[in-house]
Amino acid sequence: RWTDLPGVAQDYLSYSEQLGVAQSGTSLESQFAIDTQAKAYALFSGNPEISQWLSTEFLDIWKQLSSEEKSDSPDYHVSVLRKTFLEANRALALSSPALAMAEGASGIFLLQVQDRMFCANVGNALAVMCRDGKAMLVACDHSTWNNAHEIWRIKTAGGFIDSEDGSVCSALALSKSFGFISHLPFSTACPSICDWNIEHGRDDFVIIASPNL
């Protein structure tokens, strides 16, 4: 099930904090944030300072909002994920306004709740699930050249897609990300969310990655 708005067993979930991480100067362009007890896995990729800030702050924001939301709501986890991405972007803008205005980062968050998986993302940090030995994309690529929904959203908000390079308002390669506050509402941190039931015996693993890895 996809939510896009204006059977992975625990022992199959694994990660690497260093393998293939790209470097820019002394800062990492890609950063993981992981809480194995909560079965929560996040990856942020883009501007090194923003990625670092998100890797430090994002899970705390998610935990705080999780405690405040009514857990009996049928869309509890989807609602918390959406609010977490938006609140993280707001907090980033307050923490480093100049940086958040001009720079950005992609992000993806994977959460296992019993036999259900949730995947929320902005930008081009993506996730692939292996089911029956075949790869299934479970995240949305927010490159506008192949995303009809994002093209419609941007044009409805009064923006445009550059006909030559597919960029948002001739400025951004991605329509959703953290940061780039100066380009709101055309660039937004409201995530695309996919959730599905784990099918034991069919689902083997999920990989989260980004172009910078």
Side-chain angles (χ1 to χ4, degrees):
R1 182 185 66 162
W2 284 94
T3 304
D4 204 341
L5 301 173
V8 180
Q10 172 61 18
D11 57 342
Y12 287 126
L13 285 169
S14 61
Y15 64 90
S16 168
E17 292 183 320
Q18 297 298 330
L19 180 63
V21 175
Q23 295 191 6
S24 176
T26 58
S27 300
L28 297 178
E29 294 178 352
S30 298
Q31 293 277 350
F32 286 94
I34 297 167
D35 186 332
T36 54
Q37 184 175 3
K39 301 179 181 177
Y41 306 80
L43 169 65
F44 307 101
S45 181
N47 176 271
E49 293 180 62
I50 293 179
S51 297
Q52 177 63 50
W53 187 92
L54 288 166
S55 71
T56 302
E57 303 294 335
F58 186 88
L59 288 182
D60 288 339
I61 294 172
W62 168 67
K63 291 175 183 178
Q64 178 62 36
L65 291 175
S66 295
S67 67
E68 296 174 357
E69 190 85 1
K70 293 183 178 180
S71 59
D72 57 349
S73 168
D75 290 323
Y76 166 73
H77 293 291
V78 170
S79 177
V80 170
L81 288 175
R82 184 189 313 119
K83 291 179 180 179
T84 299
F85 273 69
L86 293 173
E87 175 59 23
N89 204 43
R90 187 190 72 86
L92 170 65
L94 292 175
S95 174
S96 303
L99 180 65
M101 286 284 286
E103 300 289 342
S106 297
I108 189 163
F109 182 58
L110 188 70
L111 175 67
Q112 180 182 351
V113 181
Q114 298 178 344
D115 284 342
R116 194 153 189 82
M117 296 292 293
F118 295 84
C119 181
N121 82 298
V122 292
N124 57 7
L126 302 175
V128 175
M129 175 180 66
C130 179
R131 172 171 287 177
D132 296 330
K134 298 180 180 179
M136 294 179 58
L137 184 65
V138 289
C140 182
D141 184 355
H142 295 116
S143 303
T144 54
W145 59 269
N146 65 349
N147 193 319
H149 179 274
E150 284 300 282
I151 293 173
W152 172 85
R153 181 185 66 79
I154 291 164
K155 289 184 176 180
T156 300
F160 66 93
I161 304 299
D162 191 299
S163 59
E164 293 186 2
D165 61 11
S167 62
V168 180
C169 301
S170 299
L172 301 175
L174 299 170
S175 62
K176 290 190 176 184
S177 70
F178 293 103
F180 293 123
I181 304 299
S182 60
H183 294 283
L184 285 170
F186 314 120
S187 174
T188 174
C190 187
S192 297
I193 303 173
C194 180
D195 62 281
W196 67 94
N197 291 322
I198 297 170
E199 298 192 20
H200 297 282
R202 299 184 63 199
D203 297 347
D204 294 322
F205 56 82
V206 178
I207 298 172
I208 58 175
S210 73
N212 287 331
L213 282 177

